[in-house]
Amino acid sequence: MILVTGGFGFIGSHTVRALLDLGEDCIAVQRRAHELPPVLDGTRVKVERVDITDRDALLAVGRRHTITGIVHLAGSYPWPPVPDAPVEATRKALDGLLNVTQAAQEWGVRRLGIASTIGVYVGTDNSAPLREDAPLPMTAPASIPTFKKVGEMLGGFIADTTGLDIVDYRISGTWGPLGHPDPFFAAPALIHAAARGTDPDLSHLVHPAFAEDGLDLTYVKDTGRAIALLQLADSLNHRTYNVGTGRATTNAQISRAIRKSVPDARVDLPTGGAASHLVLDISRLKEDTGYQPEYDTERAAADYIAWLRAGHDS
């Protein structure tokens, strides 16, 4: 049985669904009480309401269930940043990560997977697809990549000293059902505007959006399936894996894909933007799991718009 922290979250719920579809039993661990996400309706998923920063409560889950693997997707970072209590926020973030690794050790799980981010590559040479063995700068521009770098280093130390099989997922920009307005890319906001027939609200973005801005964007169903394949692989040859599409998707491409489903969508963005894009090399992922992305931009946009028009809020 695979335990997924953050199992009702955006990527978490799709990962649980992918694991179930591959024949695994799953426990979704969630800090707050929520209704079952729509993507899990009718499934056999078990649910445990546990705050992973509560070590005793988390360890007790292993006394109620036989846990064979852990996928750790709950946020191990303070987001949004907490400027008035940074030390306490940092302590809670690290407590969650360390509690999960302690649980993995005590339960004797086969593999512990931990979510990282494409953001760890910011500041590296991105003139070619980014490989997992690229040297990373010691600094980071925001809390998420900062804590993910720390988490990767701590995970490596724990794996080396305990023998735990710990795998890091460097996840690309991800969009799709149950997502939210992302502060770093415009695709979800453009999709929501098209589905509602309104102008897109991009006020939440960290930087203004331009047509030529791009990023390795992965539809969440592909992200969840990639993580599930990494968790279930008989053996892995590496500790770190990029999870993405291996190509850049620009806002202009998103807009064109949207218009295939909604011809009158008001999703044009001004020209301009960054000439270079963060793109992940996913050779390791393909070679060790057989993964191939199933959703190109056009199929993803159509699927997401249909989901929203079916009455879902996100």
Side-chain angles (χ1 to χ4, degrees):
M1 181 173 289
I2 309 299
L3 181 146
V4 181
T5 71
F8 278 12
F10 173 38
I11 294 176
S13 59
H14 288 276
T15 299
V16 169
R17 182 58 193 251
L19 287 164
L20 293 170
D21 288 345
L22 289 169
E24 285 295 317
D25 292 326
C26 286
I27 297 176
V29 168
Q30 195 65 28
R31 179 162 57 96
R32 297 187 182 92
H34 290 293
E35 293 183 357
L36 198 68
V39 298
L40 297 178
D41 282 347
T43 67
R44 61 186 184 279
V45 62
K46 299 181 184 297
V47 181
E48 288 277 356
R49 185 181 175 187
V50 174
D51 185 338
I52 63 170
T53 65
D54 184 337
R55 182 180 57 185
D56 292 339
L58 177 62
L59 293 176
V61 175
R63 293 193 288 271
R64 295 190 290 271
H65 307 278
T66 302
I67 310 298
T68 58
I70 300 175
V71 175
H72 179 36
L73 300 176
S76 294
Y77 51 85
W79 182 263
V82 188
D84 56 337
V87 174
E88 184 57 30
T90 299
R91 179 177 291 112
K92 291 193 70 173
L94 293 179
D95 277 351
L97 175 61
L98 294 174
N99 289 344
V100 169
T101 55
Q102 181 177 345
Q105 184 179 23
E106 292 195 9
W107 299 341
V109 304
R110 177 172 168 270
R111 180 172 296 142
L112 164 61
I114 300 176
S116 187
T117 174
I118 189 175
V120 301
Y121 291 111
V122 173
T124 63
D125 178 7
N126 64 348
S127 58
L130 297 156
R131 293 173 50 86
E132 294 91 340
D133 55 5
L136 302 180
M138 291 296 292
T139 58
S143 64
I144 296 177
T146 297
F147 278 79
K148 294 307 185 183
K149 287 183 182 181
V150 170
E152 287 191 21
M153 293 179 69
L154 285 175
F157 168 75
I158 292 169
D160 289 339
T161 54
T162 65
L164 274 174
D165 182 4
I166 297 180
V167 176
D168 296 309
Y169 321 126
R170 291 180 179 168
I171 301 172
S172 69
T174 299
W175 62 305
L178 305 181
H180 49 77
D182 194 282
F184 302 110
F185 54 91
L190 297 178
I191 290 286
H192 277 256
R196 293 192 302 261
T198 62
D199 292 324
D201 178 5
L202 303 176
S203 61
H204 63 285
L205 292 176
V206 173
H207 302 291
F210 296 94
E212 288 75 24
D213 288 337
L215 180 68
D216 192 323
L217 284 181
T218 310
Y219 200 54
V220 69
K221 294 181 181 181
D222 279 337
T223 302
R225 185 167 52 85
I227 293 171
L229 290 172
L230 284 168
Q231 176 62 35
L232 299 180
D234 288 338
S235 62
L236 295 173
N237 295 312
H238 306 280
R239 182 173 292 166
T240 304
Y241 288 84
N242 289 333
V243 175
T245 63
R247 57 180 170 79
T249 300
T250 66
N251 287 330
Q253 290 171 322
I254 294 286
S255 296
R256 287 196 295 271
I258 287 172
R259 287 205 175 88
K260 292 286 187 177
S261 297
V262 187
D264 60 347
R266 302 191 292 273
V267 289
D268 284 328
L269 295 175
T271 58
S276 61
H277 308 128
L278 291 178
V279 177
L280 298 177
D281 182 313
I282 59 171
S283 300
R284 286 185 180 181
L285 175 63
K286 289 181 175 181
E287 290 167 1
D288 286 4
T289 70
Y291 167 82
Q292 291 288 342
E294 293 183 351
Y295 285 82
D296 60 15
T297 307
E298 191 172 307
R299 183 185 179 194
D303 187 77
Y304 197 3
I305 289 168
W307 168 269
L308 293 172
R309 287 186 162 178
H312 302 288
D313 294 331
S314 62

